[in-house]
Amino acid sequence: MARMTNLYDVSKCTACRGCQVACKDWNQLPAVIEPFKGNYQTHEDTNGDTFTIVKFMEGEDPVDGVYWNFLKYQCMHCFDPACMSVCPQGAYSKTSWGATFHDPDKCIGCQYCTYACPFEIPKYRKREDKITKCTLCVDRVEEGLTPACARTCPTGALTFGDRDELLQIAEERVKFLRANGFPRATIYGKLELGGLNKLFVLTDTPDKFELPIDPKVPGQITFWQDWIQPYFGWLIPVALAGSAVSFVTTRILANKNGDHTEGGHE
Amino acid sequence: MSTLITRRQLLKGGGTSIATITIASIFGFQLDSVRAAIPELRTKNIKPVPTICPYCGAGCGLVVYTNENAPADSPQVLSIQGDPDNPINRGGACPKGSALMNLREIYNSETGEQEINSQRIKKPRYRAPGSDKWVEKDWDWMLENIAERLKETRDKHFEHVDINGILVNRCEAIASLGGAALDNEECHLISKMNRALGITFFEHQARICHSSTVGGLAPTFGRGAMTNHFVDMQHTDCALIIGSNSAETHPITFKWLTEARDKRKAKIINVDPRFTRTSARADIYAPMRSGTDIAFIGGMINYILENKFYHEEYVRWYTNATFIVGESFGFDDGLFTGYDEATRSYDQSKWNYEMNADGTYKKDMSMEDPRCVLQLLKEHFSRYDIDTVCKITGTPRNKYMEVLDTYCATGAPDKVGTIMYAMGTTQHTVGVENVRSYAMLQLLLGNIGRAGGGVNALRGESNVQGSTDWAMLYHILPGYLNTPEAKKHPDYAAYNAVETPKTGYWKNKPKFLSSLLKCYWMEDHPAISYDYLPKRIDGKDYSHIALFEAMYQGELEGLFIWGSNPVVGGPNANKEQAALANLKWMVAVDLWQTETSEFWTYKAVERPTDRDEYGIKTPDEIETEVFFLPACNSYEKEGTITNSGRWMQYRWKACAPVGESRADLEIVNDLMSRVKKLYEGSTKPQDEPINRLTWEYGNNGHPDIDIIAREINGFTVVDGKPGPQVANFTKLMDDGTTACGNWVYSGCYPADQYLARKRDNKDVEHEGSKAIGSYLNWSWCWPVNRRIIYNRCSCTPEGLPWDANRASIWWNGEEWTGNDIPDFGKTTDPNGAGGRNAFIMRPEEVGCIFTKRNEGPFPEHYEPWESPQENLLNNQPFNPAITVWEPDKRGTIKDYPIVGTTYRCIEHWQAGAMTRMQPWLAELMPNCFVEMSEELAKEKGIGNGNEVIVSTTRGDMKALACVTKRFKPFLINGNYVHQIGMLWHFGFNGYASGEPANRLTPHIGDANTTIPEYKAWLCDVRRA
């Protein structure tokens, strides 16, 4: 099956956040009500019950004046996902068409994936002691439907389809935008991290959308992938022992400190 | 046991964690099992039920997936999504539409379980005088008691004959408010009931949102409605979005504007005091101080006339630019001739046209006569030069020039521009003239009646177009017939004589009135039943502000509120809240406990400071009895609503009502049936309007939608009973042989099908042309399914399209044909008599650049009632024809130097009761905020997110500061003027709560329709 993905064109997005709510409707997610912090973007990041958010970034350019950039933000469904590499339970897998699927039945809520992810997307859901994230609506796509977010997008900023075709559309669009007032327009997700299964058309450089210009998997993860994994056979006993120690110590530490703030808990 | 490992702890773990990771390798990645683990599609094999979104006026379709096997009192909704078949949104849905499930059900944030939204009220509730709590009651007790209160008040205050001996049949002690979110069938019954009861204080949301649209468009074009429709926006070359934040308030507009930009390289211009989500997607953003639209547009008109950018042939044939105006018309220093300072009104006979001896209008087809409308227009706006305009509006000159050049280019015959507007335009003391200025601009550029053009009044409630058509307003009857005034229209013959023009389609008015009266009182002749209608006191104002002023003075005893929330949404909300405490009884019908239905609670008394300008009372001091009737939501019942583009679409029932909640249709039917029973047997002539009323809509309290729909469509009356339906309003008669609930809707149910139910979304494409998105077989549209009104103007005088690629209709040599229904005589030859009279609803039969309004025949710039700037164009302090209710409450820059305005966001809707009660929307906009520039924040020592207090002469309001680059101080006539703005959605109830911004806004209104000036007033702001 060909790779299927979303194309998100920020130049057409009005930040209505229909996608954010449609995602909640389809994925049966409760609201997470946080107070207003001086920005329309009420959730600073995704969380255990919010798989996708829209970021709002305002700024001023000496020539173009005020701008207000919007970015729908969620799991990038990387070709080579770090979350999958690090998951000790094998809860992550790739579908034949490119979604990074997380199986909650296998998840033990250890959150290694959160730290391994260059975008810190997988989030912890306390009430079930599990990780959650955008599923790319695998249940819908497997039945021939589009993901809830793309289905609801009123302006057509968000579309879903064959990645190669969407990439062509994105390239055309970037060309058009560059010639029509957005000289720094660019595609994001084509090559980043070896390819993302989410494509973006940006009207400016990625940093203006709070996206890492050159995202990287944290050093420890690549170290493991490049050096440890090839010899994992003889490392198994060490690993098992290490994991036992690691789990016990970190859990004790965690319970002692009661530090809930960084794991994306509500 | 939970696994709580933070990133920091992981990094601290160092080497051991890396080793731990290899566990994954042991288990391996089980690619084969992915499919098995994917949950099954929740909506598989479930047929969704189509509905229409209950929020803005766009009319997007949605589909409801339900679990039919789930018990009625438990969650039933699986998912609600955009309807892919609906041509308006094609599956798209904004956050409000996407959150529709929350109107009934939510996911609990503690447990994740699906449950009924606990904010929904499941049983009727009663509040006794002086009490601070609700008591649950059953429906029978409630409706019996309400009917008795109603009868008691009516009987006590009813006037059968006035002091002049005229039959007036009115009761001025009961008011009815609200209805813009109800179905057409419900509006029809409420309208009918209220008229039979004699209620004159009959108002609803249209007064305070778009009354100035009707007041501006109808005298210009003949009808007060949005001229085009949403799908049509794809055809525009340039959209001027002014006074609207349409990306937020009418999100689907950006589907079609995006399409226009992609396919036609259309430009989007946004004029707004603040940089919004609409501005973010516009090609040109031009800031403009609130309340200066006429200066802004006047400058455009001047630029067009000076440079001859107008569409000359169009202007010559389709407007009154050629008409000669009488010598008595004149203008000096902001006043037209005929002004009387004592009454603050004009003698409008000074502005008559010159007539030929044969009674026709005197014209100069060359448009060079100095007394012709075009030349007078040119003279009038010659003062609106670019520099003066920019000094008033605060728009940077270069931005204004960009707007001028881009938009005025649509005057070319093959170019079309659209104006899209909403409350930023209408809610001013010059609201009507703001709208007029847009309409005139569009006539000059030849943009009316054409695909991609129009004056598109974006209506903000799902059925506010319908409820306006249903005349839930004091001054009109259904179908835009004026309500009778005692002296002016003492009887049926006098009404017809005074109200019927000799030319234009309105000459058929007696047929519409006669049929309406037959619909109400089928067994009586219209000449008799005319007197059953309440006649209002001549010239008396019963509109929203006047209604609350009367209530504040204690003149009203009872109030019905049909889904309306004036304690949040009314202007000068402190005063309106205080007024409610003077009522003897109030009936509130809603899904939730709104701030209005709970105005008597302790929560309602809380204020950020000790100031109390209007005497807000505590529960023990309030003697008002309150009856709360729980209504069901839009997909728990069935019926039709009419969108802003006049499409009448059907909503099917998808779920059981929550608890004991009932459809408004059932409530009004049940109530009126009980009232009729109470009056049964009365022989008093004053009770005839009730006793003779035709009120039979089916059994068991469940009125039959089809019976009501056929009554709306109209039928021939046979032996005092409904006979066969009429095809449309052309078949209505003035002799009492036909009945019709609303002539505008005649044609919606011509035979055996309610056309609103039509769901064929194949576009109509006439041979040899391109389809233009008319979708004539999708639902039904008034008038008689015409999708773009005034479409005769889409053709040259000879009858061929100005632009063949966007051809609406055309003359084929024998008749008008094409991709839309002609808004014109089907066989009227363009080269014959009246063949170019494109505006059939005007007596002049052309578009009126010059037309009589209470403050003059041309718009003139007047500053808002409260303004930081003296008028640079004349010496009038504000609109000379407005009524000033509270002169002592006019704030000045000495105490209140900042311009204040209110607005909405996409995540909430109107007075907020609908959306603040929904967790999915509350999380997107949890608090009320005040947006202000970085410059002002610095001056006032306010940080982003700080609590601030905004004050006006009317009251205070606390909210959070949103300090932003998107608001900038305006350079007005050499001085910097600050403006701030805030959301007006908030009140004390709901998952998202806050203080109502309308505690700040004034009781002041437009000179024609008294729409309140919500959008420009003076205030100050400080840290809380």
Side-chain angles (χ1 to χ4, degrees):
Chain A
M1 196 174 172
R3 274 189 203 278
M4 302 290 282
T5 187
N6 279 128
L7 170 62
Y8 169 60
D9 181 347
V10 302
S11 73
K12 295 181 181 176
C13 176
T14 58
C16 78
R17 299 194 273 190
C19 51
Q20 197 171 329
V21 179
C23 173
K24 294 224 164 184
D25 171 283
W26 184 255
N27 294 298
Q28 301 178 279
L29 303 171
V32 183
I33 302 178
E34 296 171 6
F36 179 78
K37 301 172 198 75
N39 184 346
Y40 283 36
Q41 180 189 328
T42 33
H43 301 97
E44 283 168 24
D45 198 356
T46 56
N47 58 51
D49 285 321
T50 309
F51 297 169
T52 185
I53 59 168
V54 175
K55 295 189 174 194
F56 290 70
M57 296 142 282
E58 66 176 48
E60 204 159 0
D61 183 285
V63 180
D64 300 333
V66 174
Y67 63 83
W68 206 6
N69 287 341
F70 313 128
L71 185 85
K72 180 184 183 292
Y73 191 68
Q74 74 298 302
C75 174
M76 303 293 178
H77 297 273
C78 312
F79 285 7
D80 185 10
C83 53
M84 188 160 96
S85 307
V86 301
C87 179
Q89 294 296 101
Y92 284 95
S93 49
K94 291 295 283 185
T95 66
S96 58
W97 48 274
T100 304
F101 178 69
H102 172 259
D103 183 353
D105 290 343
K106 291 183 183 162
C107 179
I108 54 164
C110 72
Q111 302 174 64
Y112 283 7
C113 50
T114 307
Y115 315 125
C117 173
F119 303 97
E120 294 179 50
I121 284 296
K123 291 286 152 55
Y124 182 68
R125 181 186 280 170
K126 191 178 167 189
R127 67 170 179 275
E128 287 160 1
D129 189 16
K130 304 268 185 208
I131 284 293
T132 66
K133 70 164 195 72
C134 160
T135 68
L136 205 56
C137 287
V138 282
D139 48 346
R140 296 179 59 87
V141 176
E142 291 284 335
E143 292 284 343
L145 304 173
T146 54
C149 56
R151 187 191 191 286
T152 206
C153 181
T155 62
L158 203 54
T159 46
F160 183 78
D162 181 303
R163 188 174 186 273
D164 294 338
E165 287 171 22
L166 291 177
L167 199 54
Q168 269 186 8
I169 294 171
E171 272 163 4
E172 285 297 311
R173 183 72 184 165
V174 164
K175 251 188 244 168
F176 173 84
L177 289 170
R178 283 184 180 170
N180 284 281
F182 301 98
R184 296 179 296 278
T186 183
I187 296 181
Y188 193 85
K190 182 183 174 185
L191 302 170
E192 281 73 11
L193 288 164
L196 307 177
N197 212 36
K198 283 272 178 178
L199 293 172
F200 297 75
V201 167
L202 304 178
T203 48
D204 207 334
T205 48
D207 56 307
K208 291 284 194 312
F209 295 87
E210 293 180 2
L211 283 169
I213 289 184
D214 183 16
K216 284 197 167 55
V217 173
Q220 295 168 350
I221 312 299
T222 41
F223 174 71
W224 168 75
Q225 281 178 315
D226 296 346
W227 296 98
I228 310 296
Q229 194 178 37
Y231 312 106
F232 72 89
W234 59 267
L235 267 173
I236 290 172
V238 186
L240 282 173
S243 75
V245 173
S246 170
F247 261 81
V248 170
T249 53
T250 44
R251 282 187 181 226
I252 290 169
L253 269 174
N255 290 337
K256 217 185 207 169
N257 296 346
D259 185 347
H260 295 199
T261 54
E262 279 188 67
H265 322 305
E266 49 279 53
Chain B
M1 189 175 71
S2 64
T3 313
L4 301 167
I5 309 171
T6 68
R7 186 184 186 83
R8 193 171 66 247
Q9 288 158 356
L10 180 77
L11 296 174
K12 262 194 261 171
T16 46
S17 296
I18 297 172
T20 314
I21 287 162
T22 58
I23 287 198
S25 309
I26 302 165
F27 291 98
F29 306 126
Q30 299 170 349
L31 284 162
D32 303 341
S33 66
V34 181
R35 251 215 158 88
I38 293 173
E40 197 181 333
L41 190 75
R42 292 193 290 122
T43 51
K44 203 166 182 175
N45 300 326
I46 290 179
K47 201 168 175 283
V49 179
T51 186
I52 303 296
C53 184
Y55 302 109
C56 83
C60 295
L62 294 150
V63 286
V64 186
Y65 291 90
T66 51
N67 177 0
E68 284 178 357
N69 300 322
D73 57 355
S74 71
Q76 292 184 315
V77 179
L78 297 170
S79 175
I80 303 184
Q81 309 167 8
D83 181 352
D85 292 332
N86 192 304
I88 296 169
N89 59 314
R90 292 283 179 194
C94 74
K96 292 194 292 293
S98 296
L100 213 57
M101 188 187 109
N102 274 185
L103 278 183
R104 193 175 192 277
E105 298 158 23
I106 66 168
Y107 294 102
N108 184 301
S109 55
E110 295 295 319
T111 64
E113 296 295 317
Q114 189 172 356
E115 61 193 30
I116 299 287
N117 186 342
S118 61
Q119 302 278 345
R120 281 290 295 276
I121 308 299
K122 296 173 191 71
K123 273 178 87 72
R125 292 174 166 188
Y126 172 73
R127 184 259 176 185
S131 169
D132 65 350
K133 50 181 167 300
W134 291 111
V135 183
E136 284 190 350
K137 296 278 184 188
D138 63 49
W139 276 98
D140 263 332
W141 186 92
M142 293 290 277
L143 291 172
E144 269 319 307
N145 275 276
I146 293 166
E148 279 165 22
R149 298 300 181 286
L150 206 160
K151 183 171 188 303
E152 204 179 293
T153 302
R154 183 182 181 272
D155 291 351
K156 192 166 124 201
H157 296 277
F158 200 77
E159 281 178 88
H160 179 52
V161 178
D162 72 0
I163 46 167
N164 301 311
I166 300 166
L167 277 173
V168 291
N169 278 328
R170 66 182 172 227
C171 174
E172 304 216 326
I174 303 172
S176 174
L177 270 182
L182 302 183
D183 293 348
N184 284 310
E185 297 78 8
E186 295 170 335
C187 292
H188 171 49
L189 292 203
I190 293 174
S191 208
K192 189 170 177 177
M193 175 177 80
N194 283 350
R195 261 84 206 208
L197 294 173
I199 291 177
T200 45
F201 278 111
F202 185 12
E203 285 279 283
H204 85 293
Q205 290 92 334
R207 173 73 55 203
I208 57 178
C209 73
H210 263 296
S211 62
S212 44
T213 287
V214 183
L217 296 186
T220 311
F221 301 145
R223 303 186 187 95
M226 173 168 170
T227 59
N228 295 41
H229 57 93
F230 291 88
V231 181
D232 178 64
M233 291 170 189
Q234 65 182 306
H235 297 302
T236 199
D237 294 308
C238 186
L240 173 58
I241 305 172
I242 178 167
S244 163
N245 178 6
S246 45
E248 299 200 42
T249 54
H250 300 83
I252 209 66
T253 55
F254 265 76
K255 173 185 185 62
W256 299 108
L257 292 179
T258 305
E259 191 110 353
R261 185 142 61 175
D262 278 2
K263 301 212 170 125
R264 309 191 59 84
K265 298 200 170 151
K267 295 282 179 216
I268 300 172
I269 302 171
N270 182 221
V271 182
D272 202 286
R274 155 193 75 129
F275 190 99
T276 66
R277 283 182 251 190
T278 302
S279 322
R281 289 286 79 88
D283 297 286
I284 301 170
Y285 165 68
M288 182 197 85
R289 172 171 62 99
S290 282
T292 61
D293 294 67
I294 293 171
F296 195 97
I297 301 290
M300 294 176 81
I301 291 175
N302 183 39
Y303 188 74
I304 289 166
L305 294 172
E306 275 192 344
N307 297 289
K308 266 207 148 192
F309 287 144
Y310 53 93
H311 185 167
E312 193 171 349
E313 281 304 282
Y314 185 106
V315 169
R316 190 190 321 281
W317 290 104
Y318 305 144
T319 77
N320 67 354
T322 54
F323 285 41
I324 308 293
V325 176
E327 294 289 338
S328 59
F329 167 78
F331 176 81
D332 182 38
D333 192 24
L335 292 175
F336 295 89
T337 44
Y339 185 64
D340 177 11
E341 208 178 330
T343 57
R344 300 182 61 77
S345 65
Y346 283 98
D347 170 6
Q348 298 182 13
S349 68
K350 302 279 185 212
W351 317 328
N352 286 344
Y353 301 115
E354 276 192 12
M355 307 298 281
N356 294 315
D358 62 354
T360 57
Y361 300 99
K362 201 176 233 181
K363 298 179 192 175
D364 171 26
M365 296 309 280
S366 72
M367 300 188 285
E368 282 166 6
D369 187 309
R371 297 298 302 173
C372 82
V373 167
L374 190 82
Q375 294 303 327
L376 293 175
L377 182 76
K378 204 170 170 180
E379 191 190 336
H380 184 79
F381 284 108
S382 62
R383 300 165 294 133
Y384 290 64
D385 60 89
I386 292 166
D387 286 331
T388 307
V389 166
C390 292
K391 272 186 201 168
I392 294 169
T393 62
T395 311
R397 195 189 154 95
N398 63 334
K399 282 288 157 194
Y400 191 59
M401 291 300 298
E402 257 188 90
V403 176
L404 287 176
D405 288 331
T406 309
Y407 198 72
C408 298
T410 65
D414 61 344
K415 294 283 177 207
V416 187
T418 177
I419 294 183
M420 294 158 57
Y421 75 92
M423 307 298 89
T425 300
T426 60
Q427 292 173 338
H428 290 282
T429 40
V430 290
V432 161
E433 294 294 356
N434 281 344
V435 174
R436 279 265 302 136
S437 71
Y438 300 177
M440 290 159 61
L441 181 71
Q442 289 294 70
L443 283 175
L444 287 172
L445 294 170
N447 286 336
I448 298 297
R450 300 179 61 183
V455 176
N456 290 311
L458 303 172
R459 312 213 61 170
E461 288 102 350
S462 58
N463 195 33
V464 72
Q465 182 59 55
S467 58
T468 307
D469 302 331
W470 288 106
M472 305 185 85
L473 293 160
Y474 86 86
H475 70 293
I476 45 171
L477 295 169
Y480 303 94
L481 316 170
N482 288 328
T483 48
E485 290 174 80
K487 277 193 230 163
K488 197 173 172 191
H489 316 104
D491 56 41
Y492 185 61
Y495 183 96
N496 282 332
V498 173
E499 290 295 314
T500 314
K502 289 188 181 60
T503 49
Y505 201 78
W506 277 117
K507 65 183 177 219
N508 294 299
K509 200 178 278 182
K511 297 174 184 169
F512 309 148
L513 177 70
S514 166
S515 301
L516 177 71
L517 291 167
K518 282 303 272 188
C519 166
Y520 285 11
W521 296 281
M522 207 177 301
E523 292 168 30
D524 291 308
H525 190 276
I528 291 169
S529 55
Y530 171 81
D531 286 326
Y532 299 161
L533 286 174
K535 295 190 189 74
R536 54 187 164 104
I537 296 170
D538 294 70
K540 178 171 167 178
D541 187 352
Y542 298 82
S543 69
H544 183 100
I545 292 175
L547 187 156
F548 275 96
E549 289 286 338
M551 196 188 291
Y552 190 74
Q553 299 302 327
E555 292 167 23
L556 290 165
E557 243 180 44
L559 172 69
F560 282 93
I561 297 220
W562 304 93
S564 182
N565 193 9
V567 166
V568 171
N572 201 351
N574 277 327
K575 189 173 200 179
E576 300 202 349
Q577 184 184 326
L580 291 171
N582 294 339
L583 291 168
K584 208 167 157 193
W585 53 269
M586 177 174 107
V587 180
V589 188
D590 218 303
L591 278 67
W592 337 86
Q593 226 61 86
T594 65
E595 286 73 13
T596 302
S597 69
E598 294 203 327
F599 79 94
W600 45 270
T601 57
Y602 284 108
K603 288 182 283 189
V605 184
E606 285 169 27
R607 292 293 182 278
T609 69
D610 293 337
R611 266 176 81 199
D612 179 10
E613 299 285 334
Y614 295 101
I616 302 288
K617 290 180 183 163
T618 50
D620 51 313
E621 301 167 324
I622 298 174
E623 292 298 305
T624 316
E625 276 184 291
V626 184
F627 300 86
F628 183 86
L629 304 177
C632 61
N633 81 24
S634 57
Y635 55 89
E636 295 165 351
K637 62 181 181 185
E638 64 177 331
T640 65
I641 53 172
T642 305
N643 80 349
S644 194
R646 298 162 281 102
W647 295 18
M648 185 197 205
Q649 302 185 94
Y650 205 82
R651 303 200 278 210
W652 281 265
K653 181 177 171 176
C655 293
V658 163
E660 293 179 18
S661 65
R662 300 173 74 185
D664 293 71
L665 194 71
E666 294 169 332
I667 297 172
V668 59
N669 181 51
D670 199 338
L671 177 64
M672 192 60 200
S673 301
R674 286 169 199 261
V675 170
K676 272 177 82 74
K677 207 161 266 171
L678 284 181
Y679 279 96
E680 215 167 48
S682 164
T683 51
K684 286 191 210 158
Q686 68 174 52
D687 298 337
E688 279 177 353
I690 294 172
N691 284 331
R692 306 287 300 163
L693 187 72
T694 308
W695 194 275
E696 279 171 31
Y697 298 110
N699 299 321
N700 306 324
H702 297 286
D704 185 328
I705 286 277
D706 287 76
I707 292 181
I708 300 170
R710 288 195 288 266
E711 181 171 290
I712 288 170
N713 176 80
F715 47 75
T716 306
V717 181
V718 181
D719 300 331
K721 294 263 177 280
Q725 283 118 262
V726 296
N728 57 49
F729 54 73
T730 62
K731 308 292 179 207
L732 296 176
M733 308 296 281
D734 61 4
D735 57 0
T737 55
T738 56
C740 174
N742 190 337
W743 76 274
V744 167
Y745 283 85
S746 188
C748 70
Y749 206 132
D752 55 357
Q753 193 190 2
Y754 201 0
L755 300 181
R757 292 184 181 126
K758 285 179 85 171
R759 284 179 56 84
D760 175 0
N761 64 4
K762 194 171 167 295
D763 202 1
V764 177
E765 190 168 79
H766 197 277
E767 210 183 316
S769 74
K770 279 187 211 153
I772 57 164
S774 292
Y775 296 104
L776 294 175
N777 295 312
W778 179 271
S779 74
W780 181 85
C781 164
W782 76 256
V784 284
N785 215 20
R786 296 164 187 157
R787 304 285 160 139
I788 297 175
I789 46 181
Y790 320 116
N791 53 23
R792 166 67 182 89
C793 306
S794 68
C795 292
T796 60
E798 295 74 28
L800 294 174
W802 293 110
D803 182 354
N805 291 318
R806 287 174 281 193
S808 169
I809 60 160
W810 57 88
W811 178 252
N812 68 6
E814 284 164 9
E815 60 173 16
W816 292 93
T817 182
N819 298 315
D820 198 352
I821 309 292
D823 187 12
F824 199 62
K826 196 167 167 57
T827 55
T828 307
D829 190 326
N831 299 310
R836 292 164 189 189
N837 294 359
F839 291 83
I840 57 171
M841 299 306 290
R842 285 296 306 161
E844 299 92 331
E845 299 188 327
V846 290
C848 294
I849 290 169
F850 181 96
T851 199
K852 291 176 183 177
R853 296 283 67 205
N854 285 348
E855 60 280 88
F858 287 139
E860 168 71 357
H861 169 69
Y862 301 111
E863 286 289 333
W865 187 56
E866 290 185 345
S867 168
Q869 174 62 45
E870 282 175 9
N871 198 333
L872 294 177
L873 283 163
N874 60 59
N875 284 308
Q876 301 306 317
F878 47 85
N879 185 338
I882 58 170
T883 303
V884 178
W885 297 95
E886 298 182 302
D888 59 315
K889 288 282 192 284
R890 184 169 177 237
T892 60
I893 48 169
K894 189 173 144 279
D895 303 314
Y896 301 100
I898 301 167
V899 178
T901 195
T902 61
Y903 37 69
R904 300 190 277 142
C905 61
I906 189 170
E907 295 83 0
H908 286 293
W909 185 68
Q910 308 297 16
M914 288 286 275
T915 50
R916 283 184 277 114
M917 308 288 177
Q918 300 186 47
W920 283 340
L921 297 172
E923 72 172 327
L924 294 181
M925 270 307 170
N927 302 94
C928 186
F929 56 81
V930 179
E931 284 176 294
M932 64 185 76
S933 69
E934 291 175 338
E935 292 82 351
L936 177 63
K938 201 175 159 198
E939 227 175 77
K940 298 276 184 184
I942 295 166
N944 194 19
N946 286 168
E947 274 198 338
V948 294
I949 292 177
V950 185
S951 306
T952 69
T953 63
R954 280 76 60 186
D956 310 298
M957 168 226 194
K958 193 157 73 177
L960 300 171
C962 178
V963 179
T964 174
K965 297 179 192 305
R966 297 176 293 99
F967 238 132
K968 295 273 185 244
F970 290 96
L971 185 61
I972 306 294
N973 196 26
N975 301 312
Y976 279 102
V977 170
H978 290 294
Q979 181 167 352
I980 63 173
M982 63 221 71
L983 299 177
W984 68 272
H985 302 294
F986 287 83
F988 49 78
N989 282 341
Y991 294 99
S993 59
E995 296 191 6
N998 279 315
R999 288 178 183 163
L1000 305 173
T1001 54
H1003 253 194
I1004 193 82
D1006 169 87
N1008 302 275
T1009 73
T1010 61
I1011 191 168
E1013 189 155 62
Y1014 287 109
K1015 289 294 182 261
W1017 30 271
L1018 291 179
C1019 64
D1020 201 5
V1021 61
R1022 63 179 192 274
R1023 269 196 79 154

